[in-house]
Amino acid sequence: PLGLCRDRQSTPPAVVFADAMRDAVLDDFDAAHLSPVAAALFSRARASFADIIAPGGFVDKMHKGALDRGVYAQYLAIDRYFLFHFNRAYAVALIKARTVDEQRMFHELIGGVLDEMRLHVSACARWGVDADYYMASHPPEPAAEKYVKFLESLHEGSMEGLIAGMVPCMRLYSALGSGFAKIGLDACGPYREWFDAYASTEINALATQLESLLPVDVEDLTTEIIDNYKRAMELERDFFEAWLSI
C-alpha cells in the first residue's frame, strides 16, 4: 500500500522529461540575446509560445518523429500559402519604409521568404505533394486563412504595427529550431530537416533584422504594437494546433 501511495503521488518520468524539454526550449528563447523591446514583447506572449511547444503538440510530435506524414505534407503546402501572404505584408512594409536602409532590409527579408518558399516546394515534392496543385484544389486551412486576414488587416496601419504582427512568426520559428536542436534531434526521423532549417543562423539573423525595426525603448511600445504581437503569437499557436485534429 505504501508503494502504491508513492506511485500515485509521484510524477511519471515521461511527464518529467516533457516538462524539462519544454523548459529548456523556453530557457533557450530567453537566452537568445533579444533586445529589451523584443524580450518585453515576448514576455507578453509567453503563454502562447508555451502552448506551441507543449507535450503532445504538433511541434513535439515532429520532434519525436511521431507526426503523421500525410499531415506534415499538408502542413508544408498550406504553410507555403501563408508565406506567400506573409511576403505580401513585407511588400507593404517596403512601401512604408522611411529610409533607403529600411528598403534594403525589407528587400533582404522578402528574399529570405522566397528562399523559404522554395524549400517548402522541394520538401513537398519529396513527400509526394505538388504544393501548387494542392493549393489550387483545396480551400485554405481555416486557421491559416484567419492568420492571413489578420496580416491583411495591418496593411493600412502603421509600419510599427505591421512589423509587430510579423515578428512573432520569424522569432518563433528561429526559437523552435534552435531550442529543439539544443535538446537533440536524434528522434526526429524525417522531420529533422525542418528543425535544421529553422535552427540556422540565417533565420535568426532575419528575425533580429525585423526586430530592429521595433521601437528602441520599451517605454515607446504602443498598445497597437503589443496587441498585434500577442495576437500574431496566438494565431501561430492556433495554426499549429489545427493540424492535431486532422
Side-chain angles (χ1 to χ4, degrees), residues 95-130:
I95 295 172
K96 294 178 182 289
R98 298 157 297 196
T99 66
V100 172
D101 285 341
E102 287 183 354
Q103 287 183 333
R104 186 178 296 109
M105 186 179 299
F106 286 123
H107 179 265
E108 293 175 2
L109 289 165
I110 288 170
V113 175
L114 290 173
D115 289 343
E116 188 178 356
M117 290 170 67
R118 279 193 289 270
L119 289 175
H120 275 50
V121 171
S122 298
C124 282
R126 289 196 299 274
W127 287 77
V129 173
D130 184 320

Side-chain angles (χ1 to χ4, degrees), residues 87 154 164 187-188:
N87 235 13
L154 304 182
C188 294

Side-chain angles (χ1 to χ4, degrees), residues 20 116 157 176 217:
E116 188 178 356
L176 292 175
D217 297 319

Side-chain angles (χ1 to χ4, degrees), residues 7 22 38 46 68 78 80 93 95 103 117 129 136 145-147 187 189 217 239:
D7 288 341
R22 181 192 61 210
R46 189 182 178 94
D68 181 88
I78 295 296
R80 179 176 179 269
I95 295 172
Q103 287 183 333
M117 290 170 67
V129 173
E145 184 68 2
K146 194 172 184 178
Y147 201 166
D217 297 319
F239 180 56

Side-chain angles (χ1 to χ4, degrees), residues 82-100:
F82 170 77
L83 288 172
F84 170 79
H85 289 279
F86 194 80
N87 235 13
R88 290 185 68 224
Y90 271 146
V92 173
L94 176 61
I95 295 172
K96 294 178 182 289
R98 298 157 297 196
T99 66
V100 172

Side-chain angles (χ1 to χ4, degrees), residues 205-216:
L206 290 173
T208 302
Q209 267 191 321
L210 192 58
E211 288 167 342
S212 72
L213 295 172
L214 293 167
V216 175

